[in-house]
Amino acid sequence: HTAEAVAVPDAIQALVQSAGTAHPGLATGAAVTGLVMTAGVGVLQKGLTPAGIANAFALGTLLYGAFGAGGFSLLCLYFLFGTAVTKVKLEQKQKEGIAEARSGRRGPGSVWGSGSAGAFCAVAALATGDYSLWQVTKVKLEQKQKEGIAEARSGRRGPGSVWGSGSAGAFCAVAALATGDYSLWQ
């Protein structure tokens, strides 16, 4: 018997090729995020509410679309670590009345509170096409300096870092005020 070649549809080939690039775009981001979330649905359901899962899909799509597997991997690790930390001594925290609501499952406010800086940088990078400007790392500074493309700020963080951890509270406060639904953003 001879093995017959299986034709892989062009769309799937394009998706696989795009997934390995540094800036694959939103369609690839949505596809990869959907696959990863489907594979990890059990973990997601333990750490997020249904609305939190839907919002995490949007955040994952943005980050993968703009920054590829590297940015998306950081998001996944952050979620796994945060979920694990929340569960530490949960019963004791519940008895003391200091535990997270919903047994530690996070909703949209937590997703965007933690991810708004990354989402802002992803949207800005996708909108401008300038991905290096919105990365908030010093890792490649020496390489950029050697190539003569380092910014005059010598490795100080880019505009994305302005939206650091303080943006989380600001985003939740503005969203709560805008919607009038304060419970959603807790």
Side-chain angles (χ1 to χ4, degrees), residues 40-50 53 79-80 82-84 86-87 90 100-107:
V41 70
V43 174
L44 288 170
Q45 290 174 332
K46 289 179 183 177
L48 295 169
T49 64
I53 292 171
F79 169 72
L80 292 171
T83 299
T86 299
K87 303 294 181 184
L90 180 61
E100 292 268 346
R102 302 175 300 250
S103 298
R105 293 174 64 214
R106 290 175 159 77

Side-chain angles (χ1 to χ4, degrees), residues 156-167:
R156 286 178 283 149
R157 297 180 180 219
S161 64
V162 172
W163 289 84
S165 59
S167 65

Side-chain angles (χ1 to χ4, degrees), residues 56-173:
F57 175 80
L59 178 60
T61 296
L62 282 172
L63 291 181
Y64 199 101
F67 304 120
F72 186 77
S73 297
L74 288 174
L75 173 67
C76 292
L77 289 172
Y78 179 84
F79 169 72
L80 292 171
F81 180 72
T83 299
V85 169
T86 299
K87 303 294 181 184
V88 172
K89 298 184 181 181
L90 180 61
E91 288 182 32
Q92 179 182 347
K93 292 176 188 176
Q94 287 172 331
K95 288 178 186 173
E96 295 174 7
I98 59 171
E100 292 268 346
R102 302 175 300 250
S103 298
R105 293 174 64 214
R106 290 175 159 77
S110 293
V111 169
W112 293 110
S114 297
S116 60
F120 173 81
C121 293
V123 168
L126 289 166
T128 64
D130 184 355
Y131 298 92
S132 64
L133 179 64
W134 302 103
Q135 292 173 348
V136 288
T137 180
K138 295 181 182 181
V139 174
K140 295 188 177 183
L141 177 62
E142 287 183 38
Q143 179 184 356
K144 288 181 178 181
Q145 286 174 333
K146 287 178 186 175
E147 295 172 2
I149 58 173
E151 294 88 351
R153 41 194 169 98
S154 297
R156 286 178 283 149
R157 297 180 180 219
S161 64
V162 172
W163 289 84
S165 59
S167 65
F171 176 84
C172 291

